[in-house]
């Protein structure tokens, strides 16, 4: 399910679920911009709440979110303030997602 969230973020060019405090809109997807892992995790959780489906989606456990982000091309950096993830280019991210999808047959 995380793959769908990341794919939706790439297509909309926004980090769905991550609000920009100054505008109230979702933050734009800017290649190379870093975000705390906890912010991305919270954005994913907020996005999950918006999914309406007769069959409940199987969410990615938060403990696996970092692995999925890494597979999609998000670089990670750790500091004394916590873990941060750097946004890849949208095209590279989508390519990584499609390669993973083709390799394991999951979506």
């Amino acid at each position: 399910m995380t793959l769908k969230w990341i794919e939706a973020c790439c297509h909309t060019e926004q980090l769905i679920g991550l609000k920009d405090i100054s505008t109230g809109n979702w933050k734009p997807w800017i290649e190379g911009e870093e975000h705390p892992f906890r912010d991305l995790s919270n954005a994913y959780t907020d996005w999950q709440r918006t999914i309406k489906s007769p069959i409940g989606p199987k969410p990615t456990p938060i403990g696996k979110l970092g692995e999925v982000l890494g597979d999609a091309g998000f670089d990670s950096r750790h500091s004394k303030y916590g873990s941060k993830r750097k946004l890849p280019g949208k095209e590279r991210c989508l390519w990584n997602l499609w390669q993973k999808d083709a390799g394991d047959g999951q979506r």
Side-chain angles (χ1 to χ4, degrees), residues 2 45 52 89 104:
T2 310
T45 301
K52 305 283 188 248
D104 66 17

Side-chain angles (χ1 to χ4, degrees), residues 7 32 43 49 59 86 88:
E7 186 174 8
R49 292 184 192 126
K86 184 187 288 187

Side-chain angles (χ1 to χ4, degrees), residues 37-94:
F37 177 78
R38 72 178 178 281
D39 289 353
L40 296 172
S41 175
N42 290 337
Y44 171 62
T45 301
D46 286 346
W47 173 80
Q48 283 178 312
R49 292 184 192 126
T50 68
I51 302 301
K52 305 283 188 248
S53 173
I55 300 170
K58 293 182 181 178
T60 299
I62 294 302
K64 293 276 187 184
L65 182 60
E67 179 182 340
V68 174
L69 292 173
D71 289 347
F74 287 65
D75 290 330
S76 64
R77 180 173 70 86
H78 301 281
S79 72
K80 64 181 179 181
Y81 303 107
S83 176
K84 291 193 172 225
R85 293 292 178 145
K86 184 187 288 187
L87 299 178
K90 294 176 292 294
E91 294 80 14
R92 176 178 163 223
C93 184
L94 288 170

Side-chain angles (χ1 to χ4, degrees), residues 3 13 15-16 20 22 28 41-42 58 79 88 92 96 101:
L3 299 178
E13 300 182 6
L15 294 170
I16 299 171
D20 183 329
S22 63
S41 175
N42 290 337
K58 293 182 181 178
S79 72
R92 176 178 163 223
N96 289 337
D101 188 37

